[in-house]
Amino acid sequence: MAKLKLGLIADHKPVKVTLDLPASLHRDLVAYADVLGRQAGQAIADPIKLIVPMLERFIATDRGFAKARTEQ
């Protein structure tokens, strides 16, 4: 099985954010949570909690953003 980019989710105090996801993206998020849960050996109770670490990972690995940020 291919290793996913996302690892285990740390438990942080949540901040409430409301957003609308396209149905297809929500289905992909649920499917991702299922695969991640099987790899980690524990079910992901709430796939929505994957959004923050996914965004953090995306921002941390975006070279264009990193370069633009240091140029400011």
Side-chain angles (χ1 to χ4, degrees):
M1 186 179 296
K3 182 160 173 60
L4 301 179
K5 289 185 175 187
L6 198 60
L8 291 178
I9 309 304
D11 189 22
H12 294 287
K13 182 178 178 184
V15 175
K16 186 168 180 118
V17 176
T18 303
L19 71 141
D20 294 322
L21 297 177
S24 61
L25 180 57
H26 184 260
R27 284 190 298 272
D28 287 345
L29 188 62
V30 170
Y32 194 101
D34 181 55
V35 173
L36 182 62
R38 281 186 273 133
Q39 283 188 358
Q42 64 185 49
I44 305 296
D46 185 2
I48 299 302
K49 292 193 182 244
L50 297 178
I51 294 172
V52 171
M54 286 176 159
L55 286 172
E56 288 173 337
R57 173 87 172 164
F58 177 82
I59 289 171
T61 59
D62 187 316
R63 292 181 186 164
F65 175 68
K67 183 178 178 183
R69 195 174 200 183
T70 59
E71 290 174 352
Q72 286 182 350

